[in-house]
Structure formats: structure tokens, C-alpha cells
Coordinates of all heavy atoms in Angstrom, one line a residue:
N1 N 0.8 -1.2 0.0 CA 0.0 0.0 0.0 C 0.9 1.3 0.0 O 0.5 2.3 0.7 CB -0.9 0.0 1.2 CG -2.1 0.9 1.0 OD1 -2.5 1.2 -0.1 ND2 -2.7 1.4 2.1
G2 N 2.0 1.2 -0.7 CA 2.9 2.3 -0.8 C 3.8 2.6 0.3 O 4.5 3.6 0.4
L3 N 3.8 1.6 1.3 CA 4.6 1.8 2.5 C 5.6 0.6 2.6 O 5.3 -0.5 2.3 CB 3.8 1.8 3.7 CG 2.8 3.0 3.8 CD1 1.9 2.8 5.1 CD2 3.5 4.3 3.9
P4 N 6.9 0.9 3.0 CA 7.9 -0.2 3.2 C 7.8 -0.7 4.6 O 7.7 0.0 5.6 CB 9.2 0.5 2.9 CG 9.0 1.9 3.3 CD 7.5 2.2 3.1
F5 N 7.9 -2.1 4.8 CA 7.9 -2.7 6.1 C 9.0 -3.7 6.2 O 9.2 -4.5 5.2 CB 6.6 -3.4 6.4 CG 5.4 -2.5 6.5 CD1 4.6 -2.3 5.3 CD2 5.1 -1.8 7.6 CE1 3.5 -1.4 5.4 CE2 4.0 -1.0 7.7 CZ 3.2 -0.8 6.6
N6 N 9.7 -3.7 7.3 CA 10.7 -4.7 7.6 C 10.2 -5.6 8.7 O 9.9 -5.1 9.8 CB 12.1 -4.1 8.0 CG 12.8 -3.5 6.8 OD1 13.3 -4.1 5.9 ND2 12.8 -2.1 6.8
T7 N 10.1 -6.9 8.4 CA 9.6 -7.9 9.4 C 10.6 -9.0 9.7 O 11.6 -9.1 8.9 CB 8.3 -8.5 8.9 OG1 8.6 -9.3 7.7 CG2 7.3 -7.4 8.6
H8 N 10.4 -9.7 10.8 CA 11.3 -10.8 11.1 C 10.4 -11.9 11.8 O 9.3 -11.6 12.3 CB 12.4 -10.4 12.0 CG 12.0 -9.9 13.4 ND1 11.7 -8.6 13.7 CD2 11.8 -10.6 14.6 CE1 11.3 -8.5 14.9 NE2 11.3 -9.7 15.5
R9 N 11.0 -13.1 11.8 CA 10.3 -14.2 12.4 C 11.3 -15.3 12.8 O 12.2 -15.6 12.1 CB 9.2 -14.8 11.5 CG 8.4 -16.0 12.0 CD 7.4 -16.4 11.0 NE 6.6 -17.5 11.6 CZ 6.9 -18.8 11.4 NH1 7.9 -19.1 10.7 NH2 6.1 -19.7 11.9
T10 N 11.1 -15.8 14.0 CA 11.9 -16.9 14.5 C 11.0 -18.1 14.8 O 10.0 -17.9 15.5 CB 12.7 -16.5 15.8 OG1 13.5 -15.4 15.6 CG2 13.6 -17.7 16.3
S11 N 11.4 -19.3 14.4 CA 10.5 -20.4 14.5 C 11.3 -21.7 15.0 O 12.5 -21.8 14.7 CB 9.8 -20.7 13.2 OG 10.7 -21.1 12.2
V12 N 10.5 -22.6 15.6 CA 11.1 -23.8 16.1 C 10.0 -24.9 15.7 O 8.8 -24.7 16.1 CB 11.4 -23.9 17.6 CG1 11.9 -25.3 18.0 CG2 12.5 -22.8 17.9
T13 N 10.5 -26.0 15.1 CA 9.5 -27.1 14.7 C 10.1 -28.4 15.2 O 11.3 -28.7 15.1 CB 9.4 -27.1 13.2 OG1 8.9 -25.9 12.7 CG2 8.4 -28.2 12.8
F14 N 9.2 -29.2 15.8 CA 9.6 -30.6 16.2 C 8.5 -31.5 15.7 O 7.3 -31.3 15.9 CB 9.7 -30.7 17.7 CG 10.0 -32.1 18.2 CD1 11.3 -32.6 18.0 CD2 9.0 -32.9 18.7 CE1 11.5 -33.9 18.5 CE2 9.2 -34.2 19.1 CZ 10.5 -34.7 19.0
Q15 N 8.9 -32.6 15.1 CA 8.0 -33.6 14.6 C 8.6 -35.0 14.8 O 9.8 -35.2 14.7 CB 7.5 -33.4 13.2 CG 8.6 -33.6 12.2 CD 8.1 -33.4 10.8 OE1 7.5 -32.4 10.5 NE2 8.3 -34.4 9.9
S16 N 7.7 -36.0 15.0 CA 8.2 -37.4 15.2 C 7.2 -38.4 14.9 O 6.0 -38.2 15.0 CB 8.7 -37.5 16.7 OG 9.1 -38.8 17.0
E17 N 7.7 -39.5 14.4 CA 6.8 -40.7 14.2 C 7.5 -41.9 14.9 O 7.7 -43.0 14.3 CB 6.6 -41.0 12.7 CG 5.9 -39.9 12.0 CD 5.6 -40.2 10.5 OE1 5.7 -41.4 10.1 OE2 5.3 -39.3 9.7
W18 N 7.9 -41.7 16.1 CA 8.7 -42.7 16.8 C 8.0 -43.9 17.1 O 8.5 -45.0 17.0 CB 9.2 -42.1 18.1 CG 10.3 -42.8 18.8 CD1 10.2 -43.7 19.8 CD2 11.7 -42.8 18.4 NE1 11.4 -44.3 20.1 CE2 12.4 -43.7 19.3 CE3 12.4 -42.1 17.5 CZ2 13.7 -43.9 19.2 CZ3 13.8 -42.3 17.4 CH2 14.4 -43.2 18.3
L19 N 6.6 -43.8 17.3 CA 5.8 -45.0 17.5 C 5.0 -45.2 16.3 O 4.6 -44.3 15.6 CB 4.9 -44.8 18.7 CG 5.6 -44.5 20.1 CD1 4.5 -44.2 21.1 CD2 6.4 -45.6 20.5
K20 N 4.7 -46.5 16.0 CA 3.9 -46.9 14.8 C 2.5 -46.4 14.9 O 1.9 -46.0 13.9 CB 4.0 -48.4 14.6 CG 5.3 -48.9 14.2 CD 5.2 -50.4 13.9 CE 6.6 -51.0 13.5 NZ 6.5 -52.4 13.2
W21 N 1.9 -46.3 16.1 CA 0.6 -45.9 16.2 C 0.4 -44.4 16.6 O -0.8 -44.0 16.7 CB -0.1 -46.8 17.3 CG 0.5 -46.7 18.7 CD1 1.6 -47.4 19.1 CD2 0.2 -45.7 19.7 NE1 1.9 -47.0 20.4 CE2 1.1 -46.0 20.8 CE3 -0.8 -44.7 19.8 CZ2 1.0 -45.2 22.0 CZ3 -0.9 -44.0 21.0 CH2 0.0 -44.3 22.1
L22 N 1.5 -43.7 16.8 CA 1.3 -42.3 17.2 C 2.4 -41.5 16.5 O 3.6 -41.8 16.5 CB 1.5 -42.2 18.7 CG 1.5 -40.8 19.3 CD1 0.2 -40.1 19.1 CD2 1.9 -40.8 20.8
A23 N 2.0 -40.3 15.9 CA 2.9 -39.3 15.3 C 2.4 -38.0 15.7 O 1.2 -37.8 16.0 CB 2.9 -39.5 13.8
G24 N 3.3 -37.0 15.7 CA 2.9 -35.7 16.1 C 3.9 -34.6 15.7 O 5.0 -34.9 15.3
F25 N 3.5 -33.4 15.7 CA 4.3 -32.3 15.4 C 3.9 -31.0 16.2 O 2.7 -30.9 16.7 CB 4.3 -31.9 13.9 CG 3.1 -31.3 13.5 CD1 2.9 -29.9 13.5 CD2 2.0 -32.0 13.0 CE1 1.8 -29.3 13.0 CE2 0.8 -31.4 12.6 CZ 0.7 -30.1 12.6
A26 N 4.8 -30.1 16.5 CA 4.5 -28.9 17.1 C 5.4 -27.8 16.5 O 6.6 -28.0 16.2 CB 4.8 -29.0 18.6
K27 N 4.8 -26.6 16.3 CA 5.6 -25.5 15.7 C 5.2 -24.2 16.3 O 4.0 -24.0 16.6 CB 5.3 -25.5 14.2 CG 6.1 -24.4 13.4 CD 5.8 -24.5 11.9 CE 6.6 -23.5 11.2 NZ 6.4 -23.6 9.7
V28 N 6.1 -23.3 16.6 CA 5.8 -22.0 17.2 C 6.7 -21.0 16.5 O 7.8 -21.3 16.1 CB 6.1 -22.0 18.7 CG1 7.5 -22.3 19.0 CG2 5.6 -20.7 19.3
G29 N 6.1 -19.8 16.2 CA 6.8 -18.7 15.6 C 6.6 -17.4 16.3 O 5.4 -17.1 16.7
L30 N 7.6 -16.6 16.4 CA 7.5 -15.3 17.0 C 8.2 -14.3 16.2 O 9.2 -14.6 15.6 CB 8.1 -15.3 18.4 CG 7.5 -16.2 19.5 CD1 8.4 -16.2 20.7 CD2 6.1 -15.8 19.8
G31 N 7.6 -13.1 16.1 CA 8.2 -12.0 15.3 C 7.3 -10.9 15.1 O 6.5 -10.5 16.0
T32 N 7.4 -10.3 13.9 CA 6.5 -9.1 13.5 C 5.9 -9.4 12.2 O 6.3 -10.2 11.4 CB 7.4 -7.8 13.4 OG1 8.4 -8.0 12.5 CG2 8.0 -7.5 14.8
A33 N 4.7 -8.7 12.0 CA 4.0 -8.8 10.7 C 3.2 -7.6 10.5 O 3.1 -6.7 11.4 CB 3.1 -10.1 10.7
V34 N 2.7 -7.4 9.3 CA 2.0 -6.2 8.9 C 0.5 -6.4 9.1 O 0.0 -7.5 8.7 CB 2.3 -5.8 7.4 CG1 1.5 -4.6 7.0 CG2 3.7 -5.6 7.2
N35 N -0.2 -5.5 9.7 CA -1.6 -5.5 9.8 C -2.2 -4.9 8.5 O -2.2 -3.7 8.3 CB -2.1 -4.7 11.0 CG -3.6 -4.7 11.2 OD1 -4.3 -5.4 10.4 ND2 -4.1 -3.9 12.1
H36 N -2.6 -5.8 7.6 CA -3.0 -5.4 6.3 C -4.4 -4.8 6.2 O -4.7 -4.1 5.2 CB -2.9 -6.6 5.3 CG -1.5 -7.1 5.1 ND1 -1.1 -8.2 5.7 CD2 -0.5 -6.7 4.3 CE1 0.2 -8.5 5.3 NE2 0.5 -7.5 4.5
K37 N -5.2 -5.0 7.3 CA -6.5 -4.5 7.3 C -6.8 -3.6 8.5 O -7.5 -4.1 9.4 CB -7.5 -5.6 7.1 CG -7.5 -6.3 5.8 CD -8.7 -7.3 5.7 CE -8.7 -7.9 4.3 NZ -9.9 -8.8 4.1
P38 N -6.2 -2.5 8.6 CA -6.5 -1.6 9.7 C -7.9 -0.9 9.5 O -8.4 -1.0 8.5 CB -5.4 -0.5 9.7 CG -5.0 -0.5 8.2 CD -5.2 -1.9 7.7
P39 N -8.4 -0.3 10.6 CA -9.7 0.5 10.4 C -9.6 1.6 9.4 O -8.4 2.0 9.0 CB -9.9 1.0 11.8 CG -9.1 0.2 12.7 CD -7.9 -0.2 11.9
K40 N -10.7 2.0 8.8 CA -10.7 3.1 7.9 C -10.1 4.3 8.5 O -10.3 4.7 9.6 CB -12.1 3.3 7.4 CG -12.7 2.2 6.6 CD -14.1 2.6 6.0 CE -14.7 1.5 5.2 NZ -16.0 1.8 4.7
G41 N -9.3 5.0 7.7 CA -8.6 6.2 8.1 C -7.3 5.9 8.8 O -6.6 6.9 9.1
L42 N -6.9 4.6 8.9 CA -5.6 4.3 9.6 C -4.8 3.5 8.6 O -5.2 2.6 7.9 CB -5.9 3.5 10.8 CG -4.7 3.2 11.7 CD1 -4.2 4.5 12.3 CD2 -5.0 2.2 12.8
A43 N -3.5 3.9 8.4 CA -2.6 3.2 7.5 C -2.2 1.9 8.0 O -2.2 1.7 9.2 CB -1.4 4.1 7.2
P44 N -1.8 0.9 7.2 CA -1.2 -0.3 7.6 C 0.0 -0.1 8.5 O 0.7 0.9 8.3 CB -0.8 -1.0 6.4 CG -1.7 -0.4 5.3 CD -1.9 1.0 5.7
Y45 N 0.1 -0.9 9.5 CA 1.2 -0.7 10.5 C 1.8 -2.1 10.9 O 1.2 -3.1 10.7 CB 0.7 0.1 11.7 CG -0.4 -0.6 12.4 CD1 -0.3 -1.5 13.5 CD2 -1.8 -0.2 12.1 CE1 -1.3 -2.1 14.1 CE2 -2.8 -0.8 12.7 CZ -2.6 -1.7 13.7 OH -3.7 -2.3 14.4
L46 N 3.0 -2.0 11.5 CA 3.7 -3.2 12.0 C 3.2 -3.6 13.3 O 3.0 -2.8 14.2 CB 5.2 -2.9 12.0 CG 6.2 -4.1 12.0 CD1 6.0 -4.8 10.7 CD2 7.6 -3.6 12.1
A47 N 3.1 -4.9 13.5 CA 2.6 -5.4 14.8 C 3.4 -6.7 15.2 O 4.1 -7.3 14.4 CB 1.1 -5.8 14.7

């Protein structure tokens, strides 16, 4: 929308199929992102 944004993200993922009857995964990410849909009259901003 005509504005430059610098964002970052750090993530960790773990997954396993160690047991034949059970498999799983977990993932978490932290960082910043752009709010692309702010209220009317407000420009997009970093969150």
C-alpha cells in the first residue's frame, strides 16, 4: 500500500513418528508482521 515494512520471524519445529501408532508435530513462531486491514482512516502498520 505504498509503504515499506521490515519484518522478522523466529520459529522452532519438532515432529516425530517414533511410535507406529502415534505421530505428532509442534511448531511455534514469534516475530513481527503487517496489519494489512487496519480500520478506515488508519494506514497499515507493523505489529
